[in-house]
Amino acid sequence: MSRQRKHLSTSESFTVGYAMRSPPVTASASETIVSIAEKMITSDIGAVVIVEDSLPVGVITERDIIESILKWYNKPSERSARDIMSSPMITVERDATIREALELMKEKGVRRLGVTGNGRLIGIVTERRLLDVMRGMLKTIAENI
């Protein structure tokens, strides 16, 4: 039983920094929706962090782009990130635990968090990625019981 507790306490120490994607793909608030969509395709990602003066101010997801195209009748080249980004960008420090990050996501109703270190954006983490890491930790724990 003590062996199991040791693994549990060790698994709880995994931080957001362990699970984040770094560096995050970013764009300025003035970039067009087309430019942001191209970044998503090139980087094979589902969200781009919008920054101003190196600070995260919002996020744009694939869903945001689809909704904007439908809303503005296929004129994404005429709209900027500022028009469709979700703002403010909710952030978490890289040394926060995975549990803390998931609780913050639930509290704020978001599925992505900017990850900061020393006040600077250093990554992005998604709910799916955090849950995948937790699933792996639980599998490891179960194998060691």
Side-chain angles (χ1 to χ4, degrees):
M1 187 67 106
S2 63
R3 181 177 176 186
Q4 180 182 7
R5 286 188 184 151
K6 181 178 179 187
H7 285 287
L8 286 172
S9 64
T10 301
S11 70
E12 289 171 357
S13 69
F14 277 109
T15 64
V16 172
Y18 175 80
M20 73 178 176
R21 175 190 173 108
S22 183
V25 176
T26 62
S28 73
S30 62
E31 284 189 50
T32 66
I33 295 170
V34 170
S35 171
I36 291 167
E38 288 171 349
K39 286 183 178 191
M40 287 181 182
I41 292 166
T42 301
S43 301
D44 193 27
I45 56 170
V48 171
V49 179
I50 306 304
V51 295
E52 289 182 346
D53 299 321
S54 301
L55 298 174
V57 295
V59 63
I60 294 180
T61 66
E62 293 166 317
R63 182 178 177 151
D64 294 329
I65 290 175
I66 292 168
E67 287 178 356
S68 74
I69 290 170
L70 294 174
K71 182 177 180 181
W72 289 305
Y73 305 103
N74 294 320
K75 296 182 183 179
S77 60
E78 297 175 13
R79 300 293 175 187
S80 69
R82 187 176 290 104
D83 295 326
I84 67 166
M85 69 182 184
S86 300
S87 183
M89 177 78 188
I90 308 299
T91 62
V92 65
E93 280 290 316
R94 76 172 147 214
D95 59 353
T97 66
I98 290 174
R99 180 179 178 171
E100 290 168 334
L102 288 169
E103 287 172 352
L104 179 61
M105 287 176 169
K106 182 179 178 183
E107 174 188 327
K108 300 294 184 178
V110 298
R111 294 185 305 194
R112 292 169 181 81
L113 297 172
V115 181
T116 57
N118 298 323
R120 290 184 35 241
L121 179 69
I122 59 170
I124 187 169
V125 69
T126 63
E127 180 182 57
R128 166 171 261 169
R129 177 71 178 137
L130 292 174
L131 293 173
D132 285 347
V133 169
M134 291 207 55
R135 185 178 311 117
M137 290 183 327
L138 291 172
K139 182 179 177 184
T140 300
I141 291 167
E143 290 170 354
N144 289 301
I145 294 180

